[in-house]
Amino acid sequence: RPREWSSNRPSKRGMMRNPLEERYFVPVLFVVLAGVVLTTGLSYFHTRRTVEEVALGQMAQTLFFLEKSVSEKTSGIMGHATLWSREEVFKLALGTGFLARSARAAADSRLEERCRFNGYDRAFVARPNGDILVASDPAMVRTINVADRAYFARALKGESSLETLYS
């Protein structure tokens, strides 16, 4: 015979459900689900806006520092060009005769050394007709004419000019 205490317990079939529980179960579940959806949606849109603002702020800051860096580099290049243009060896290289040939040899090596030291690709000195007479790259001498280039026309007028060159 089974134990007494187990026979007094109602069976699962005989358990009565509380009608109050059944009536409020679905509405409460719906309210909880609606709260989760609403909270998740608000969090998503708030987080999205915040992430976009942070990303835009970082891009603006990066562009600011990039612009500053490029401006400083450009100013440095223009300063070097101005200082170099005042050196007597480059002025003498434009002449004719033995002294000019000697000055061209010295100017070639000086430009090559300065380009390597300052991280420039090439630098050159051209005659007023556009013929390159002195260059950091010996292959440019007497093979390239820059008379038709806008930067050269500005340089002949005494204006500073900086451009990327393609050969």
Side-chain angles (χ1 to χ4, degrees):
R1 168 170 184 214
R3 295 183 181 166
E4 249 180 71
W5 61 269
S6 64
S7 63
N8 293 337
R9 209 185 312 160
S11 66
K12 285 190 176 186
R13 279 191 182 165
M15 284 182 74
M16 303 244 343
R17 292 185 134 174
N18 185 351
L20 200 58
E21 286 177 5
E22 250 180 59
R23 188 181 332 154
Y24 291 113
F25 179 72
V26 172
V28 168
L29 186 61
F30 177 75
V31 168
V32 169
L33 182 63
V36 168
V37 168
L38 182 65
T39 304
T40 303
L42 289 174
S43 296
Y44 168 77
F45 287 112
H46 176 70
T47 303
R48 180 179 170 195
R49 187 180 73 226
T50 303
V51 167
E52 286 174 352
E53 289 172 0
V54 168
L56 288 174
Q58 286 201 345
M59 282 191 292
Q61 186 179 30
T62 301
L63 289 174
F64 169 77
F65 286 118
L66 178 64
E67 190 272 333
K68 188 175 180 177
S69 175
V70 168
S71 294
E72 288 175 3
K73 183 69 173 174
T74 302
S75 295
I77 292 170
M78 295 302 282
H80 285 148
T82 301
L83 287 174
W84 297 351
S85 70
R86 294 180 184 152
E87 291 184 34
E88 197 63 33
V89 70
F90 296 118
K91 293 176 184 177
L92 288 172
L94 292 172
T96 58
F98 175 75
L99 186 59
R101 283 194 303 271
S102 177
R104 282 194 286 274
D108 282 338
S109 65
R110 189 173 289 185
L111 280 180
E112 189 273 328
E113 180 182 306
R114 288 183 179 169
C115 284
R116 190 174 16 127
F117 178 75
N118 292 298
Y120 304 146
D121 187 40
R122 292 180 261 185
F124 61 86
V125 176
R127 288 195 169 156
N129 68 359
D131 289 337
I132 293 180
L133 195 59
V134 175
S136 59
D137 179 6
M140 294 176 68
V141 177
R142 294 191 176 87
T143 58
I144 297 176
N145 186 293
V146 292
D148 61 338
R149 317 257 171 107
Y151 64 85
F152 184 72
R154 287 192 301 273
L156 286 177
K157 293 178 187 174
E159 300 172 13
S160 295
S161 173
L162 181 66
E163 291 188 26
T164 302
L165 304 179
Y166 301 98
S167 56

